[in-house]
Amino acid sequence: MGKSEQVIVIGGGIVGLAIAEKLIAEGHDVTLVEKDEIAAGASQGNAAGLAFSDIMPLASPGIIKKAIKWFLDPVGPFSVVVPDLPHTMGWLLRFLKAARPSQFNKSISVQATLMHLGKKTFPEMLERNGLTSMVRANGGLHLYQSEDSYKADLEKWAFRKKHNIAFECYEGQALHDFQPGLDKSFIAGIFAPEWQSVSNPLDFCKAIHKAATAKGLKTVYGEVEKIADTQVTLASGDVITADKIVLAAGPWSSRLSEKLGDPVPVIGERGYNTTLPKTAFEGLDHTLIFSDHAFVVVPLSDGIRVGGASEIATVDRAPNYQRSKAMMKKAEKLLPGLTNKDGVEWMGARPAIPDTLPVIGYSSKSNKIIYAFGHGHLGLTQSTATAELVSELLAGRQTSMDITALRVNRF
């Protein structure tokens, strides 16, 4: 353990919480700054998955054909809000560029390395805080209704196999024996046994915050207006000082990084879900991934969550809950025994970067400011890996992996 420093972590989502917890564990004096409530954004309503097998970038050669069709459907799995295009077109063009084979293969390698680091560090964090009981290895089952879709995804699983990610294939009746209750149209499934789930994302975030607070974490509620080397200025005019500052404010991070001379193409990629009572579908143990429809069905400790989709819009646009309703209609067809009653709808903005890789590293202005944002769908999964890298950067140690591809100057 090195020198103890005063550190400000901006952002009370899962990534900021994991960083704060890790720095507290290393003996630093940490203040967490959050503009709303703990896990007020995407961290509270996500799909609860530790998707360590999910190394395939969203920006991929195969996504382009699908995306063109999806873009035209206002409630489709990947849609664009047309009035917001002046603000989001630049991101979309970068997304298409990132889908080129050369960038795609590079992103896979980096994601795989991050996932391996996450598999190592997540159990360590749970053990430090007595939270092991809040995570279980329930596995993720990817489902297919056509041979073409199944064979196309098998090629992606070949990439995963190269990175030592295990999977099992179930075809025909074997699939329906493995997961009862599926519509008869499903002909195959690929099961990822390393997929894990937290009991409830909001409860999990609050538990981390409570544990870190008991160890000395201080929390300040207020919106950050400006970062300057060792100072954070709040919208209220209050100024907080520290030796180091970590920016982990999700989709709101780019506004602050741009003021530091580091423009980052981050948007709030909006996801929707409906959380149903636990009795809505009997016998659900695995996370079900409907890849062709871009949503998942997840067993939580207190319910069943049907969620997913990607809506490209500005962060402040009002939710379009027709998207969650459309997902529920599909879910009822694909899971005939699902009871769509007493559901609670939700929308959250994921911090998405076109190449599907987060920004982790020093700001261009100062090594006293560290960036850690832009994890997209993988904030929970990669939270402890990010915390490990941030702790190493803060202490000036060799990082556990090469972070060149994650630095802010790649844009």
Side-chain angles (χ1 to χ4, degrees):
M1 192 174 294
K3 171 189 171 186
S4 175
E5 299 194 79
Q6 291 186 323
V7 185
I8 297 170
V9 177
I10 302 170
I14 185 58
V15 173
L17 289 167
I19 292 167
E21 186 282 329
K22 175 65 175 176
L23 297 180
I24 287 281
E26 293 205 340
H28 298 292
D29 182 358
V30 183
T31 298
L32 182 72
V33 180
E34 166 54 42
K35 71 183 184 72
D36 291 315
E37 298 292 336
I38 295 302
S43 294
Q44 71 166 278
N46 61 51
L50 299 177
F52 294 122
S53 60
D54 198 4
I55 65 171
M56 307 304 291
L58 182 61
S60 63
I63 198 70
I64 302 302
K65 290 181 180 179
K66 289 182 180 180
I68 291 172
K69 180 177 71 174
W70 288 344
F71 282 170
L72 301 176
D73 183 353
V75 293
F78 196 130
S79 70
V80 174
V81 176
V82 175
D84 291 348
L85 276 174
H87 304 284
T88 60
M89 180 60 78
W91 187 94
L92 286 164
L93 292 174
R94 287 175 181 266
F95 177 80
L96 296 175
K97 186 178 178 181
R100 295 178 302 178
S102 58
Q103 180 60 48
F104 173 70
N105 291 327
K106 179 181 177 183
S107 295
I108 290 174
S109 179
V110 178
Q111 289 284 24
T113 306
L114 266 173
M115 295 303 195
H116 285 303
L117 183 58
K119 281 192 287 186
K120 173 183 177 294
T121 54
F122 214 98
E124 294 172 353
M125 184 275 287
L126 296 174
E127 187 67 30
R128 281 196 301 270
N129 297 283
L131 303 178
T132 303
S133 64
M134 297 191 79
V135 176
R136 65 192 185 97
N138 64 322
L141 181 61
H142 299 249
L143 294 161
Y144 309 93
Q145 292 169 291
S146 73
E147 284 288 344
D148 288 345
S149 177
Y150 177 44
K151 289 178 180 178
D153 234 25
L154 277 174
E155 294 179 10
K156 296 179 182 179
W157 284 93
F159 280 104
R160 293 179 171 100
K161 188 174 182 179
K162 290 178 182 178
H163 294 282
N164 300 313
I165 294 172
F167 64 93
E168 304 161 7
C169 296
Y170 293 87
E171 300 176 356
Q173 187 57 44
L175 169 66
H176 293 270
D177 291 341
F178 183 71
Q179 177 57 63
L182 299 174
D183 184 73
K184 294 179 180 179
S185 62
F186 288 101
I187 56 117
I190 299 176
F191 182 65
E194 293 182 354
W195 190 294
Q196 301 173 50
S197 295
V198 300
S199 54
N200 177 290
L202 179 57
D203 292 347
F204 186 65
C205 286
K206 287 184 175 181
I208 295 173
H209 183 249
K210 181 179 180 181
T213 299
K215 297 175 185 178
L217 175 67
K218 298 178 287 292
T219 302
V220 172
Y221 293 96
E223 186 168 1
V224 175
E225 186 64 32
K226 181 182 176 183
I227 302 172
D229 203 25
T230 59
Q231 289 188 339
V232 168
T233 303
L234 303 182
S236 64
D238 292 341
V239 176
I240 311 172
T241 61
D243 299 310
K244 302 284 177 66
I245 298 168
V246 181
L247 177 57
W252 294 273
S253 300
S254 59
R255 178 178 63 85
L256 294 170
S257 70
E258 188 167 5
K259 290 181 180 180
L260 292 166
D262 293 322
V264 180
V266 178
I267 61 163
E269 180 204 341
R270 290 143 49 108
Y272 291 80
N273 69 45
T274 302
T275 301
L276 302 165
K278 204 165 179 60
T279 54
F281 189 75
E282 298 295 339
L284 181 64
D285 184 48
H286 311 303
T287 294
L288 305 182
I289 301 111
F290 299 91
S291 301
D292 290 339
H293 305 280
F295 73 89
V296 299
V297 177
V298 185
L300 303 175
S301 59
D302 55 352
I304 291 173
R305 181 161 291 166
V306 179
S310 295
E311 182 180 62
I312 308 304
T314 54
V315 176
D316 56 354
R317 177 166 288 278
N320 174 15
Y321 286 117
Q322 290 304 313
R323 297 184 61 76
S324 50
K325 290 178 173 60
M327 257 188 288
M328 284 306 307
K329 286 182 180 178
K330 286 184 180 180
E332 287 180 275
K333 290 180 180 178
L334 302 177
L335 297 172
L338 182 67
T339 302
N340 182 9
K341 187 179 179 182
D342 299 325
V344 178
E345 296 177 326
W346 176 88
M347 185 278 290
R350 314 176 188 99
I353 292 176
D355 61 7
T356 322
L357 296 174
V359 169
I360 302 175
Y362 299 120
S363 77
S364 62
K365 294 281 187 184
S366 170
N367 63 4
K368 293 181 180 180
I369 301 171
I370 298 171
Y371 297 142
F373 61 88
H375 296 75
H377 296 239
L378 298 170
L380 174 60
T381 304
Q382 295 178 346
S383 58
T384 59
T386 302
E388 186 76 17
L389 294 169
V390 168
S391 70
E392 291 163 348
L393 289 166
L394 189 141
R397 300 193 301 267
Q398 177 71 38
T399 53
S400 298
M401 61 175 282
D402 182 358
I403 61 169
T404 303
L406 307 178
R407 288 176 176 160
V408 73
N409 62 5
R410 74 182 190 262
F411 302 107

